[in-house]
């Protein structure tokens, strides 16, 4: 993946991004009163190769002037047939409100569909109101079965085949 949205570069994660991506995610979690869990829910950010690349997923970073200002990712899951979980959709406060979240989600959905997946899951927390509004506007429906302790909402969207 390599695309642009305004002055942002969205590209595939590289090992050199590990610390910057982790710091960006930890910063957003802290902003909302959620904990950074490097041994739990956030271990995948520190081990992208294992959790994403090795299983057919993708992890992208959003870069602005050489700084990682956001992330987005997905990997296959066993919640139904041809399913993925969208993960790590985070943007630093200074880059929000510019349509970047919608652009990322649209590109994730396109990449997911191109790989033949049909069911999209995502977990989030109620405090992430901007994200919830984005997901609901884009057709994600509330579901049940939250697995991540810091999350209290789960959504699903079915792509047409």
């Amino acid at each position: 993946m390599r695309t642009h949205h305004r002055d942002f570069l969205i590209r595939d994660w590289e090992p050199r991004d590990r610390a910057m991506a982790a710091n960006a995610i930890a910063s957003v979690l802290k902003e909302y009163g959620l904990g950074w869990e490097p041994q739990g829910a956030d271990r995948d950010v520190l081990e992208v190769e294992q959790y994403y690349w090795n299983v057919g997923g993708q992890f992208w970073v959003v870069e602005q002037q050489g700084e990682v200002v956001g992330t987005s990712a997905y990997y296959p899951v066993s919640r139904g047939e041809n399913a993925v979980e969208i993960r790590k959709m985070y943007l630093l406060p200074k880059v929000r409100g510019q349509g970047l979240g919608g652009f990322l989600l649209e590109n994730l959905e396109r990449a997911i569909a191109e790989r033949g997946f049909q069911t999209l899951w995502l977990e989030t927390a109620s405090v992430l109101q901007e994200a919830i509004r984005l997901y609901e506007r884009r057709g994600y429906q509330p579901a049940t079965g939250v697995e991540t302790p810091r999350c209290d909402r789960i959504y699903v969207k079915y792509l047409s085949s």
Side-chain angles (χ1 to χ4, degrees):
M1 156 58 82
R2 189 171 186 89
T3 191
H4 288 84
H5 177 73
R6 299 185 183 188
D7 64 338
F8 301 102
L9 169 64
I10 295 96
R11 61 172 175 77
D12 288 322
W13 179 93
E14 299 172 4
R16 67 182 170 90
D17 299 317
R18 196 177 319 272
M20 283 194 295
N23 289 339
I25 292 168
S27 171
V28 173
L29 290 169
K30 182 178 181 183
E31 172 191 355
Y32 287 94
L34 300 170
W36 165 250
E37 301 172 10
Q39 299 304 316
D42 301 308
R43 186 175 185 161
D44 59 327
V45 176
L46 302 173
E47 299 179 22
V48 169
E49 299 90 339
Q50 176 184 343
Y51 285 87
Y52 295 91
W53 291 359
N54 294 352
V55 298
Q58 292 183 297
F59 195 107
W60 301 340
V61 295
V62 180
E63 189 178 296
Q64 185 181 44
Q65 298 172 347
E67 177 189 3
V68 172
V69 296
T71 60
S72 61
Y74 72 89
Y75 54 52
V77 294
S78 58
R79 285 183 178 171
E81 199 170 319
N82 295 322
V84 298
E85 182 174 339
I86 292 177
R87 308 258 313 151
K88 306 307 180 199
M89 284 274 300
Y90 293 105
L91 295 171
L92 293 178
K94 66 183 178 180
V95 301
R96 293 183 198 143
Q98 300 180 55
L100 192 52
F103 183 81
L104 280 172
L105 191 56
E106 180 180 309
N107 279 275
L108 273 177
E109 289 179 1
R110 186 178 305 115
I112 289 165
E114 286 171 359
R115 290 188 172 193
F117 296 105
Q118 296 174 326
T119 306
L120 288 59
W121 293 94
L122 61 85
E123 294 187 8
T124 191
S126 293
V127 296
L128 300 171
Q129 285 298 309
E130 300 98 329
I132 290 169
R133 281 193 297 275
L134 171 66
Y135 301 141
E136 290 178 351
R137 275 196 320 265
R138 298 288 176 137
Y140 288 78
Q141 299 296 314
T144 58
V146 174
E147 296 175 348
T148 307
R150 74 170 169 234
C151 295
D152 61 358
R153 291 182 181 226
I154 187 168
Y155 288 86
V156 65
K157 181 175 181 177
Y158 299 99
L159 300 177
S160 55
S161 31

